[in-house]
């Protein structure tokens, strides 16, 4: 397949591009490198030393003999160039990772709220309009998030895959309908993903676009078989308070002797997936697209759920760290149930990688190898969900000094 990977320089997009290339697909990355620019803005770097996109692509050619194309393009603002690339490349499939993806960053300031909405909604809509304009029948897989469902909305009922069956009482009797699962976003970032869903529903219905929306859990891990083939291919590892994901943050904190930062009681339950399963799920989704005229296919891209406090205890036990309970900057319930259905990926043949499968050891090894690159002043999450909210700053005196 000829595949375009939008956002292919990012944490999920880079290993996906290599995996698809390794599987024999003809891959071109489209990326405006905005994630690297946000690193500069936040004065933080990936824990792992990631190379420039040019160096990465040359290294991949050296180790695999395969070429991955690259087009520097802002999908949100360069619509005409996007149309030209689609006409030129005529992809069979497109993977859309190209959005601002950090909830804390999206809640920092009104500028980052507006950037997140402008970037994410325009990128998604430009892509859909460009597919219609070019008449391409490419299968589109988009990365959504489990956060579109919200947490605890349906108590202990399992979260279905995208659609909910509801019964309506009408004067003529009871009607049964399947509706898009009610959206319950917890941040501006999550809100953009719920808006994406409406764009997909409309373009699938109106224009017959073939769309798969992957509601992904929190990704953990760093390396895949492909990124591990050369140090120049190493994947990014975000650890800061805005972009770091919870399990990777705990591993890094333990590696430098920093207390594990649990927000609130740690009773929040979240869904997880290892980066190795992310790349496999994308390939499965591209190989099994919906037909024209179908509604968007929604798959829950998760393999297990854990309570945040339980994860912290697990990492603390393995690596010998303390745990610090900090004020929760988010507006969310202290505790929630989360049972997620992921039957479709299991039926397609996904063999889930579990936390117990020894890969925590790999994360621990990476965190320890690159511990000298950590800037401890970037660990605490400083973004708060509403004005006047208590922040972790109050407790900073109890934590190790900034480095
Ligand atoms: N990382 C996770 O735990 C996680 C969990 C659930 C869902 N997701 C989703 O997966 C996708 C990828 O996440 P990630 O962790 O790889 O994020 P990332 O920030 O590392 O990668 C996103 C990439 O998209 C690029 N990009 C952003 N806006 C762009 C634009 N307008 N034009 C061109 N390129 C643009 C960035 O430069 C970056 O390389 C996101 O949509 C995210 O919402 C990620």
């Amino acid at each position: 397949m000829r595949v375009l990977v939008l956002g292919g320089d990012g944490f999920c997009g880079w290993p996906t591009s290599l995996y698809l290339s390794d599987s024999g697909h003809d891959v071109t990355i489209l990326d405006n490198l905005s994630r690297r620019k946000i690193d500069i803005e936040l004065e933080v770097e990936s824990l792992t030393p990631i190379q420039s996109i040019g160096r990465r692509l040359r290294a991949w050619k050296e180790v695999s003999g395969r070429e991955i194309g690259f087009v520097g393009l802002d999908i949100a603002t360069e619509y005409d160039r996007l149309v030209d690339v689609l006409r030129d490349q005529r992809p069979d499939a497109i993977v859309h990772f190209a959005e601002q993806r950090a909830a804390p960053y999206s809640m920092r300031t009104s500028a980052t709220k507006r950037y997140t909405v402008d970037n994410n909604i325009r990128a998604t809509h430009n892509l859909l309009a460009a597919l219609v304009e070019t008449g391409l029948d490419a299968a589109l897989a988009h990365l959504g998030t489990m956060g579109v469902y919200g947490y605890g909305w349906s108590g202990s009922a399992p979260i279905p895959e995208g659609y909910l069956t509801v019964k309506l009482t009408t004067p003529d009797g009871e009607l049964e309908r399947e509706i898009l699962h009610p959206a319950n976003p917890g941040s501006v970032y999550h809100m953009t993903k719920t808006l994406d869903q409406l764009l997909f529903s409309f373009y699938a219905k109106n224009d017959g676009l073939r769309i798969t929306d992957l509601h992904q859990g929190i990704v953990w891990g760093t390396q895949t078989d492909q990124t591990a083939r050369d140090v120049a291919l190493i994947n990014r590892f975000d650890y800061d308070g805005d972009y770091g994901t919870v399990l990777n943050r705990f591993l890094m904190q333990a590696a430098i002797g920093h207390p594990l930062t649990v927000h609130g009681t740690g009773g929040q339950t979240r869904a997880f997936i290892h980066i190795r399963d992310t790349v496999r799920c994308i390939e499965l989704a591209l190989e099994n697209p919906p037909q024209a005229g179908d509604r968007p296919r929604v798959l829950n891209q998760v393999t297990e759920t854990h309570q945040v406090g339980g994860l912290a205890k697990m990492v603390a036990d393995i690596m010998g760290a303390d745990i610090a309970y900090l004020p929760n900057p988010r507006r969310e319930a202290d505790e929630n149930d989360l049972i997620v259905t992921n039957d479709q990926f299991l039926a397609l043949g996904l063999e889930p990688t579990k936390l117990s499968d020894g890969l925590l050891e790999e994360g621990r090894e990476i965190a320890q190898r690159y511990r000298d690159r950590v800037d401890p002043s970037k660990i605490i999450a400083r973004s708060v969900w509403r004005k006047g909210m208590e922040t972790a700053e109050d407790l900073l005196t109890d934590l190790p000094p900034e480095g």
Side-chain angles (χ1 to χ4, degrees):
M1 271 193 283
R2 188 183 288 268
V3 187
L4 295 186
V5 182
L6 281 46
D9 185 48
F11 170 58
C12 298
W14 176 243
T16 301
S17 300
L18 298 190
Y19 182 82
L20 294 175
S21 173
D22 211 24
S23 307
H25 301 294
D26 182 1
V27 176
T28 298
I29 291 173
L30 272 61
D31 202 302
N32 65 350
L33 308 183
S34 52
R35 179 68 193 85
R36 292 175 185 255
K37 290 168 198 150
I38 292 174
D39 271 351
I40 294 169
E41 172 195 328
L42 298 177
E43 300 182 344
V44 66
E45 285 179 33
S46 160
L47 179 69
T48 48
I50 55 169
Q51 300 301 312
S52 67
I53 183 70
R55 176 82 189 87
R56 281 180 149 187
L57 296 174
R58 285 194 297 280
W60 178 241
K61 192 170 177 202
E62 279 160 27
V63 301
S64 71
R66 298 188 60 82
E67 211 150 330
I68 294 180
F70 176 75
V71 183
L73 174 74
D74 188 328
I75 294 144
T77 60
E78 297 184 279
Y79 178 76
D80 292 340
R81 283 191 64 217
L82 174 62
V83 169
D84 290 345
V85 172
L86 291 179
R87 287 209 168 106
D88 181 45
Q89 300 268 336
R90 306 202 63 77
D92 304 300
I94 300 174
V95 193
H96 175 24
F97 292 104
E99 296 184 83
Q100 191 298 102
R101 71 100 170 133
Y105 183 79
S106 79
M107 299 300 292
R108 265 174 102 88
T109 64
S110 44
T112 62
K113 288 177 185 172
R114 290 170 51 240
Y115 165 70
T116 303
V117 170
D118 291 349
N119 186 64
N120 294 4
I121 302 305
R122 290 178 75 186
T124 298
H125 189 256
N126 278 354
L127 177 61
L128 297 170
L131 280 171
V132 174
E133 184 172 338
T134 54
L136 287 173
D137 184 36
L140 167 62
H142 166 259
L143 273 292
T145 161
M146 282 302 297
V148 299
Y149 301 113
Y151 294 104
W153 180 84
S154 51
S156 56
I159 294 187
E161 303 206 67
Y163 298 93
L164 190 67
T165 306
V166 295
K167 288 194 174 124
L168 303 171
T169 309
T170 76
D172 302 326
E174 208 166 64
L175 271 184
E176 194 170 281
R177 289 280 184 272
E178 249 199 337
I179 59 167
L180 203 55
H181 190 285
N184 186 19
S187 73
V188 165
Y189 155 71
H190 291 103
M191 184 181 69
T192 64
K193 297 285 184 179
T194 71
L195 296 170
D196 282 345
Q197 292 191 101
L198 291 180
L199 299 177
F200 296 143
S201 290
F202 174 76
Y203 277 93
K205 183 178 68 174
N206 197 64
D207 299 282
L209 296 191
R210 298 186 298 129
I211 303 168
T212 304
D213 203 3
L214 302 168
H215 289 181
Q216 186 169 241
I218 299 169
V219 182
W220 66 283
T222 313
Q223 298 280 59
T224 58
D225 289 345
Q226 291 74 33
T227 63
R229 281 167 74 176
D230 189 293
V231 71
L233 298 171
I234 199 163
N235 198 15
R236 61 178 306 134
F237 184 131
D238 295 306
Y239 67 88
D240 60 286
D242 281 298
Y243 278 88
T245 52
V246 60
L247 185 51
N248 282 4
R249 269 167 64 78
F250 288 161
L251 290 169
M252 171 280 305
Q253 290 166 353
I256 64 162
H258 190 286
L260 311 189
T261 53
V262 172
H263 294 158
T265 62
Q268 309 93 324
T269 306
R270 293 291 181 268
F272 292 86
I273 184 165
H274 192 274
I275 188 71
R276 287 167 193 247
D277 286 349
T278 289
V279 303
R280 176 79 184 115
C281 284
I282 302 287
E283 187 180 45
L284 288 171
L286 296 183
E287 287 170 347
N288 297 278
Q291 301 300 309
D294 290 353
R295 68 186 185 185
R297 184 173 191 189
V298 181
L299 292 92
N300 290 340
Q301 190 161 304
V302 306
T303 53
E304 57 193 322
T305 59
H306 290 278
Q307 269 199 336
V308 171
L311 280 181
K313 286 198 184 88
M314 188 196 313
V315 174
D317 285 348
I318 297 173
M319 295 179 70
D322 294 330
I323 299 177
Y325 291 89
L326 303 180
N328 190 352
R330 300 177 187 228
R331 198 196 269 270
E332 64 184 6
D334 286 345
E335 297 194 4
N336 65 280
D337 290 318
L338 185 63
I339 303 166
V340 185
T341 313
N342 64 349
D343 298 342
Q344 295 188 77
F345 269 127
L346 297 180
L348 290 175
L350 178 70
E351 289 171 17
T353 305
K354 294 287 178 73
L355 260 171
S356 51
D357 288 349
L359 284 166
L360 261 187
E361 186 49 42
E362 182 231 32
R364 166 187 161 138
E365 192 269 316
I366 292 222
Q368 271 165 348
R369 187 175 343 144
Y370 295 111
R371 48 179 288 165
D372 291 347
R373 288 174 53 84
V374 173
D375 176 351
S377 73
K378 301 297 178 190
I379 292 175
I380 300 297
R382 289 179 162 78
S383 183
V384 292
W385 261 229
R386 60 183 157 81
K387 276 190 187 152
M389 225 171 179
E390 194 186 14
T391 76
E393 309 269 0
D394 304 336
L395 299 186
L396 281 177
T397 47
D398 296 339
L399 295 171
E402 296 188 358

